[in-house]
Amino acid sequence: MKAYALFQEYIWLVNTIHRFGRLTLEEINQRWLDTELSEGVPIARSTFNRHRDAILDMFGIIIECDKKDGFRYYIFNEEVLEEDTIQNWMLSTLSVNSILSESKAVQKRILLESIPSDGDNLHKFIDAMKRGVRVKVDYRRYGADATVSEWKLDPYFVKLFNKRWYALVKFPDPNANLFTLAFDRIISLEVTEDKYEYAKDFDPAGWFKESYGIVRDPDIPVQRVVIRAYGREVPYMRDLPFHHSQKEIATTEEYSDFEMMLRPTADFFSPLLSRGSAIKVLEPESLAKDIREMHQAAANLYKE
């Protein structure tokens, strides 16, 4: 069987057990035979067990069998499905692909947004990380003139944010700080043979823990931010939090207040401004003042 077809079976199996809960192999096969993927052939027990092993190796998901409950299968460690890891990103992406593969009859009625892959440059950067070698980059910033900066850099990690890939890099200096490059501003990227030492105790996930997105400014302190959401914006903020620290601290019929702890950097302004009159920043006052002034400046553009 081709690798892609196997991936589809793995994803279908995880999604089915996660969605329906405890199922026997017979119950799993009843649902499997209803899909186009099955081609009318049930999953043999030996194949099912191989799939369980592959799913554990690839995604860290344990599909356990409860013999006391009629030999029903369930996901033993469901908490891993909530973690922000590359395995879960792969699982989510492949899950969508699997759904689309089962929906060929209505493909024209499923509209998607494209996420740039950034092709060779992203591939080369990741290859350099694996090999522990530096990259040579020609880079042009937004708003800059035609001059292109040429740097030799230590590749640390990559991050996907708002449909754009970013590289986190540092100059070959023990005292240098990490900084961010947008892949779509990289003119060219070459992998060198120069080795560098990656800090073993460095935590990529923790690097942006106190940030909203891709900006990490240590000069801006971590602050308690309180946002009041009105009407239909309340469920949106519950379902799609601004930040992992967000929690609801007050609820009324007209509004709800949400608290979070982060550095209110410039990239945090965009989601606040985009909500218009549906939200109001209550704290800190400095952030509320900035957002108020930006709204007023925007309104002034429409004055005759």
Side-chain angles (χ1 to χ4, degrees), residues 278-289:
I279 66 169
K280 178 182 179 181
V281 177
L282 301 183
E283 297 180 31
E285 175 55 34
S286 59
L287 178 61
K289 179 175 177 290

Side-chain angles (χ1 to χ4, degrees), residues 146-162:
T147 303
V148 174
S149 299
E150 182 181 301
W151 299 313
K152 187 174 286 187
L153 304 164
D154 297 352
Y156 259 61
F157 66 100
V158 296
K159 180 178 174 66
L160 179 64
F161 178 68
N162 275 355

Side-chain angles (χ1 to χ4, degrees), residues 87-147:
Q87 288 91 339
N88 273 352
W89 183 81
M90 288 171 56
L91 181 64
S92 176
T93 302
L94 291 169
S95 294
V96 173
N97 288 339
S98 178
I99 292 169
L100 295 178
S101 296
E102 294 182 59
S103 311
K104 293 178 181 177
V106 292
Q107 274 187 348
K108 292 183 179 179
R109 295 159 61 186
I110 301 173
L111 306 180
L112 304 174
E113 288 187 82
S114 63
I115 296 179
S117 67
D118 285 291
D120 286 346
N121 286 342
L122 179 60
H123 182 274
K124 290 176 183 177
F125 192 91
I126 293 174
D127 181 54
M129 288 196 299
K130 290 190 292 185
R131 292 171 53 196
V133 295
R134 295 189 171 104
V135 294
K136 182 180 176 183
V137 172
D138 289 340
Y139 191 79
R140 180 183 289 121
R141 297 180 183 275
Y142 278 129
D145 57 23
T147 303

